[in-house]
Amino acid sequence: MHLIVVGGVAAGTKAAARARRVNRDIAITLYQDESEVSYTACGQPYYLSGLVPSREALIIRRASEFKVDGIEVHLRHRVLDLSTEERVIKVRDLDRNNLEVVPYDRLILATGARPVIPAVPGSHLDGIVTLRTMAELDRFRSALDRLRPKDAVIVGGGYIGLEVAESLHALGVTVTIVERLDRLFPRLDPEMGQRVHDYLIAQGVRVIVDDGMAEITENAGRVAAVVTASGRKLPAELVVLAIGIRPNVELAGQGGIALGPTGAIAVDPRMETKVKDVFAAGDCAESFHRLTRAPWWEPLGDIANLQGRVAGENAAGGNARFPGVLGTGIFKTFDLNVGLTGLSEATAREAGLTPIAAVISARDKARYYPGARELTLKLIAESVSGRLLGAQAVGHGAVDKMIDIAATALLGGLSCRDLENADLAYAPPFSPVLSPIIVAASTLSSKLS
Amino acid sequence: MHLIVVGGVAAGTKAAARARRVNRDIAITLYQDESEVSYTACGQPYYLSGLVPSREALIIRRASEFKVDGIEVHLRHRVLDLSTEERVIKVRDLDRNNLEVVPYDRLILATGARPVIPAVPGSHLDGIVTLRTMAELDRFRSALDRLRPKDAVIVGGGYIGLEVAESLHALGVTVTIVERLDRLFPRLDPEMGQRVHDYLIAQGVRVIVDDGMAEITENAGRVAAVVTASGRKLPAELVVLAIGIRPNVELAGQGGIALGPTGAIAVDPRMETKVKDVFAAGDCAESFHRLTRAPWWEPLGDIANLQGRVAGENAAGGNARFPGVLGTGIFKTFDLNVGLTGLSEATAREAGLTPIAAVISARDKARYYPGARELTLKLIAESVSGRLLGAQAVGHGAVDKMIDIAATALLGGLSCRDLENADLAYAPPFSPVLSPIIVAASTLSSKLS
């Protein structure tokens, strides 16, 4: 049996490794169109800022390490075509430039996603960068070294934009963030998003919302300024495009593999596509939300790993299931931690639910213990049953712990009444005597109908 | 209606405040035999070490602040007798030395617990200290200032002993811990407890297990040495007695109020004792374990707060329920964090279950991210269903997060299969791409029958 994996970052390498673990006997070939496999895109902002000093640190495993496990890795090989009827792929060796037709028995698509490049004049000038692959990272780093920008515009106020704002600020670059929507990181409810907005402004970041990018002007072939839809002219020697990503589904399209409503590849809980023996995992694959059961696309590194594991196990003959996602996410911008899980008040209403919410501010350790930091926590629950629907946290310190407790509570279908008496780990170096989760759950309980 | 609360540390003050919040009309009187109310005993080790510089920081609320809420607080008033038939208590004003008989309609016993003083020769010499009340703290501090010990023996390897070991070491004192049982903190399974043992030895602490204290010798009225059961003679200018605590149940006994099998006051989920209109909460009250449903005594500050809230609400006419405990605990000793929740492998077996377990070591952040720390995590589950039974974590960094995720999973009745695909918060500053919880749950899943 020959298993082919297309794509070699998170989902692809995890799938190949898992397949090998489940089945020592199958042949496994992985094609990757980049020069490296198994790197962390999530760590790139910290390499740019210098916090992670070595590019090497971003590489998790090298191609040779997969070889030891009997996984044949072909770097700089692009899979150009797929026939699911004939069960073959067509691969181009990007160095030798030859084409090869390779048959498979099972196929895993882990083709990832790529940044959206907005169709505005000037969007390909020198000084315009994106962040995703190691090649993009290298171009970003080289642009920083060559152009030594004093001013940068980041287009897009999502994860990447807000993380890179920290990186550039750490390098002494003056940062402007331009967001087309009415606020930064709109998956947060407005009052929580406002805290991120206010914080960034306090750090000296210029934040422009409700205004898109209309044009990028040039000076001798290089970026000169971003012009917004409302006519603002923002001079910059560097422009970071971070308006979003789209799944790489061209190969799936060539194979006649159906996409889901989110535009990513539709899969069942076994991560199998609509075409038998073809699996998909990671940023190219669709999932579903555990709370609403609706299709949901969550292109994040941890989900790619989880899905890759399931796809690899099943492609190798196992029977694992991926139970869906909760929409959990977290990022750090400067010293502010921002996390969320489950539904926001807005998405709960869109899903036909009647949410109630409580917002509290609390320290993350006993207030007298050195290093206690303040965070704001919002819990959202169903108004009658009290069943937890979601959580959002913005602040310093243990935002990640709050979100992980809430995500686990969502997995368990817990209500705010369950959480208000939770037996969590308390000692002064770790928590106030009642965790912010307990305080927020208690406030929420008092609002129950 | 007159509500009397006996005891004013965690449970008592919380109960009084909650009762007031639920019912503005009742009279509430709180008797406390110490000079202060509402202090944190858990913070005392950090005041001793100097990490928390001010004694004042340990006081959460003063008596006058309760007055504002219409709660009458009597400091230095000891409740000596209780008649539940006549519904009166007898109180002595420790300053004026007069006795008063006070009627009540509802009563909350929050009399706490006190350190066990072993009945060995010399156990009341100068230089022998305990830690619990503010008066004990003051005596401990004064002993440090007066005696300037070079060597200290800590008798007992539980929470207090291990926390105070850090405090004394920070002050330059050479520490020996003597534990009667075969290992430190025996609620941990042996392989996890061994990590604590080895770590303390690496910090220069002498650890003696399987050996009790037989005698304390003196030199001119002061402590000279601890002599162990096996005959070791351990010279010390300071001896800390931390072999355990016992609930203060004398008053309950005078009132004919039944105790439970743990020796603490038996209560129902409303925190009401076997005598109607008499409630108990905090360290004097028994609870039950949510997993085994068996009586369980968990004298910890967070539980006292939760129980106090329930008792206060119900005494004021509400109908809240305390759902039991999970046996969650955490402490820090030097730079090592140690936490646990639910059942150990040993207690699971004692409860008639068939546990399986997985132990993994992992970093708490992406390995390339500065400040990532290593911890060891053990998950315990039922061998057939995979239902999580408990977790233990020892190490550096986010031990508290691991335990809180596990405790929440226990609340939700989750299995290791649920946890191995959990959508937890991942970004490099917060977690490796797969949380240690996910890695351990996955290892555990692979061991399921």
Side-chain angles (χ1 to χ4, degrees):
Chain A
M1 215 253 297
H2 184 207
L3 168 63
I4 289 181
V5 180
V6 183
V9 187
T13 52
K14 192 78 179 180
R18 185 66 175 184
R20 171 55 73 229
R21 210 157 154 187
V22 170
N23 193 329
R24 300 291 327 162
D25 300 326
I26 56 178
I28 305 177
T29 310
L30 185 149
Y31 293 100
Q32 158 75 329
D33 61 2
E34 304 174 50
S35 304
E36 285 148 320
V37 284
S38 191
Y39 59 81
T40 165
C42 309
Q44 292 174 347
Y46 309 103
Y47 169 66
L48 288 176
S49 69
L51 191 67
V52 173
S54 135
R55 184 184 182 281
E56 298 305 294
L58 303 179
I59 311 293
I60 313 298
R61 288 180 82 194
R62 318 202 147 272
S64 55
E65 298 173 60
F66 289 92
K67 189 88 185 173
V68 174
D69 279 343
I71 296 166
E72 204 176 320
V73 173
H74 296 280
L75 298 176
R76 291 186 53 71
H77 277 63
R78 184 166 294 154
V79 179
L80 295 172
D81 204 357
L82 160 63
S83 165
T84 54
E85 288 189 8
E86 297 174 41
R87 297 201 175 209
V88 294
I89 59 164
K90 208 178 280 176
V91 194
R92 183 185 300 281
D93 178 334
L94 297 179
D95 293 322
R96 297 182 193 167
N97 210 23
N98 61 345
L99 262 179
E100 199 187 351
V101 174
V102 188
Y104 67 82
D105 299 294
R106 302 262 166 87
L107 179 68
I108 298 175
L109 299 177
T111 48
R114 62 172 170 270
V116 174
I117 308 298
V120 300
S123 67
H124 290 279
L125 290 166
D126 186 23
I128 299 179
V129 294
T130 52
L131 203 53
R132 185 85 195 157
T133 62
M134 292 304 281
E136 285 165 280
L137 174 67
D138 293 339
R139 282 195 294 273
F140 197 139
R141 181 66 179 246
S142 135
L144 286 172
D145 293 343
R146 278 187 302 112
L147 306 174
R148 303 209 164 271
K150 279 179 55 195
D151 291 278
V153 171
I154 296 172
V155 187
Y159 289 110
I160 302 289
L162 297 178
E163 288 176 344
V164 168
E166 175 191 343
S167 313
L168 292 176
H169 189 271
L171 297 172
V173 181
T174 302
V175 173
T176 301
I177 300 175
V178 178
E179 168 60 51
R180 191 174 52 80
L181 299 175
D182 66 351
R183 61 188 200 270
L184 297 175
F185 208 78
R187 287 184 56 201
L188 292 174
D189 285 320
E191 81 279 25
M192 299 298 281
Q194 190 63 46
R195 292 176 172 270
V196 182
H197 190 121
D198 294 346
Y199 174 84
L200 285 171
I201 286 171
Q203 307 311 308
V205 175
R206 185 175 177 196
V207 180
I208 296 170
V209 294
D210 231 343
D211 202 1
M213 175 173 64
E215 184 189 351
I216 307 178
T217 64
E218 71 173 293
N219 182 357
R222 284 187 175 169
V223 163
V226 167
V227 181
T228 69
S230 76
R232 285 180 178 106
K233 188 164 181 177
L234 310 168
E237 298 86 48
L238 185 80
V239 174
V240 183
L241 298 180
I243 62 172
I245 59 172
R246 291 287 172 272
N248 293 326
V249 293
E250 293 79 1
L251 191 63
Q254 280 152 357
I257 294 168
L259 306 182
T262 67
I265 301 169
V267 292
D268 65 16
R270 299 180 70 247
M271 302 308 296
E272 196 165 12
T273 69
K274 301 289 184 192
V275 175
K276 192 170 146 40
D277 293 335
V278 179
F279 299 80
D283 295 353
C284 67
E286 189 171 276
S287 187
F288 63 96
H289 199 292
R290 291 178 74 122
L291 299 178
T292 63
R293 313 310 287 180
W296 187 273
W297 185 47
E298 185 156 307
L300 294 174
D302 57 332
I303 300 302
N305 270 272
L306 296 177
Q307 292 181 340
R309 196 163 66 177
V310 170
E313 177 148 354
N314 292 335
N319 191 21
R321 278 166 186 274
F322 183 69
V325 300
L326 290 166
T328 308
I330 194 164
F331 66 90
K332 172 178 170 294
T333 183
F334 296 76
D335 188 36
L336 192 75
N337 302 336
V338 182
L340 76 174
T341 187
L343 305 178
S344 65
E345 259 191 288
T347 53
R349 280 205 196 85
E350 283 164 25
L353 299 161
T354 308
I356 54 172
V359 179
I360 62 125
S361 287
R363 295 223 174 90
D364 67 346
K365 305 180 200 296
R367 78 180 150 69
Y368 54 82
Y369 196 84
R373 305 294 306 273
E374 183 142 322
L375 56 83
T376 299
L377 173 64
K378 177 174 185 171
L379 291 184
I380 300 135
E382 275 187 339
S383 69
V384 177
S385 67
R387 186 175 64 113
L388 192 70
L389 295 174
Q392 303 177 12
V394 176
H396 308 284
V399 161
D400 57 326
K401 181 164 73 166
M402 299 302 121
I403 296 303
D404 277 356
I405 295 170
T408 309
L410 290 172
L411 281 187
L414 297 182
S415 77
C416 54
R417 292 221 183 273
D418 296 317
L419 283 175
E420 72 173 329
N421 283 309
D423 185 2
L424 298 175
Y426 161 63
F430 304 102
S431 172
V433 67
L434 294 184
S435 163
I437 285 278
I438 291 175
V439 175
S442 179
T443 306
L444 205 46
S445 290
S446 69
K447 295 184 176 185
L448 283 180
S449 313
Chain B
M1 213 251 296
H2 185 208
L3 168 63
I4 289 181
V5 179
V6 184
V9 188
T13 53
K14 192 78 179 179
R18 184 68 174 183
R20 172 54 74 229
R21 213 159 150 184
V22 169
N23 193 330
R24 301 292 325 162
D25 300 326
I26 57 179
I28 305 177
T29 309
L30 185 150
Y31 294 100
Q32 159 74 330
D33 60 3
E34 303 175 48
S35 303
E36 285 148 320
V37 283
S38 191
Y39 59 81
T40 165
C42 309
Q44 292 174 348
Y46 309 104
Y47 169 66
L48 288 176
S49 68
L51 191 68
V52 173
S54 135
R55 184 184 183 281
E56 298 306 292
L58 303 180
I59 312 293
I60 313 298
R61 289 180 83 194
R62 315 201 150 272
S64 56
E65 298 173 61
F66 289 92
K67 189 87 184 174
V68 174
D69 279 344
I71 297 166
E72 204 176 320
V73 173
H74 295 278
L75 298 176
R76 292 187 51 73
H77 277 64
R78 185 165 294 154
V79 179
L80 296 172
D81 203 356
L82 160 64
S83 164
T84 54
E85 288 188 9
E86 296 173 42
R87 296 199 177 212
V88 293
I89 59 164
K90 206 176 285 178
V91 193
R92 182 185 301 281
D93 178 334
L94 297 179
D95 293 323
R96 297 185 194 166
N97 210 22
N98 60 346
L99 262 179
E100 198 186 352
V101 174
V102 189
Y104 67 83
D105 299 296
R106 302 263 165 86
L107 180 69
I108 298 175
L109 299 176
T111 46
R114 62 172 170 269
V116 174
I117 308 297
V120 301
S123 67
H124 291 279
L125 290 166
D126 186 21
I128 298 178
V129 294
T130 52
L131 202 53
R132 185 87 194 155
T133 62
M134 291 304 280
E136 285 166 279
L137 175 66
D138 293 339
R139 282 195 294 272
F140 198 138
R141 181 67 179 246
S142 134
L144 285 172
D145 293 343
R146 276 188 302 113
L147 306 174
R148 304 210 164 270
K150 278 177 57 194
D151 291 277
V153 171
I154 298 172
V155 187
Y159 288 110
I160 302 289
L162 297 178
E163 287 176 346
V164 168
E166 176 190 343
S167 313
L168 292 176
H169 188 271
L171 297 172
V173 181
T174 301
V175 173
T176 300
I177 301 175
V178 177
E179 167 61 50
R180 191 175 51 82
L181 299 175
D182 66 351
R183 60 188 199 271
L184 297 176
F185 209 77
R187 287 185 54 201
L188 292 174
D189 285 320
E191 81 279 26
M192 299 298 281
Q194 190 63 45
R195 293 177 171 270
V196 182
H197 190 120
D198 294 345
Y199 173 85
L200 284 171
I201 287 171
Q203 306 312 307
V205 174
R206 185 175 178 195
V207 179
I208 295 171
V209 294
D210 230 343
D211 201 1
M213 174 171 66
E215 184 190 353
I216 306 177
T217 63
E218 73 172 293
N219 181 357
R222 284 187 176 168
V223 163
V226 167
V227 181
T228 69
S230 77
R232 287 182 177 103
K233 188 164 183 177
L234 309 168
E237 298 86 48
L238 185 80
V239 175
V240 183
L241 298 181
I243 62 171
I245 58 172
R246 291 287 172 272
N248 294 326
V249 293
E250 293 79 2
L251 191 62
Q254 281 151 356
I257 294 168
L259 306 182
T262 67
I265 301 169
V267 291
D268 65 16
R270 300 180 71 246
M271 304 307 297
E272 197 166 10
T273 68
K274 300 288 185 193
V275 175
K276 193 170 146 37
D277 294 334
V278 180
F279 299 80
D283 295 353
C284 67
E286 188 171 275
S287 188
F288 63 96
H289 200 291
R290 292 178 72 121
L291 299 179
T292 62
R293 314 309 287 182
W296 186 272
W297 185 48
E298 184 156 306
L300 294 174
D302 58 331
I303 299 303
N305 269 272
L306 296 176
Q307 292 182 341
R309 197 162 67 178
V310 170
E313 178 149 352
N314 293 336
N319 191 20
R321 277 166 188 275
F322 183 70
V325 300
L326 290 166
T328 308
I330 193 164
F331 66 89
K332 173 178 169 293
T333 184
F334 296 76
D335 189 35
L336 192 75
N337 303 336
V338 182
L340 77 173
T341 186
L343 305 178
S344 65
E345 259 191 288
T347 52
R349 278 204 196 87
E350 283 164 24
L353 299 161
T354 309
I356 54 172
V359 179
I360 62 127
S361 287
R363 294 222 174 90
D364 68 346
K365 304 180 200 299
R367 79 181 148 69
Y368 54 82
Y369 196 85
R373 306 293 306 273
E374 185 141 319
L375 56 83
T376 299
L377 174 64
K378 176 173 186 171
L379 292 184
I380 300 134
E382 273 186 341
S383 69
V384 177
S385 67
R387 185 174 66 112
L388 192 69
L389 294 174
Q392 303 177 12
V394 175
H396 307 284
V399 160
D400 56 328
K401 181 164 74 165
M402 299 304 121
I403 296 302
D404 277 356
I405 295 171
T408 309
L410 290 173
L411 281 188
L414 297 183
S415 77
C416 53
R417 291 220 182 275
D418 297 316
L419 284 175
E420 72 173 329
N421 283 307
D423 185 1
L424 298 174
Y426 161 62
F430 304 102
S431 172
V433 67
L434 294 183
S435 163
I437 285 278
I438 292 176
V439 175
S442 179
T443 305
L444 205 46
S445 291
S446 69
K447 295 184 176 184
L448 284 180
S449 316

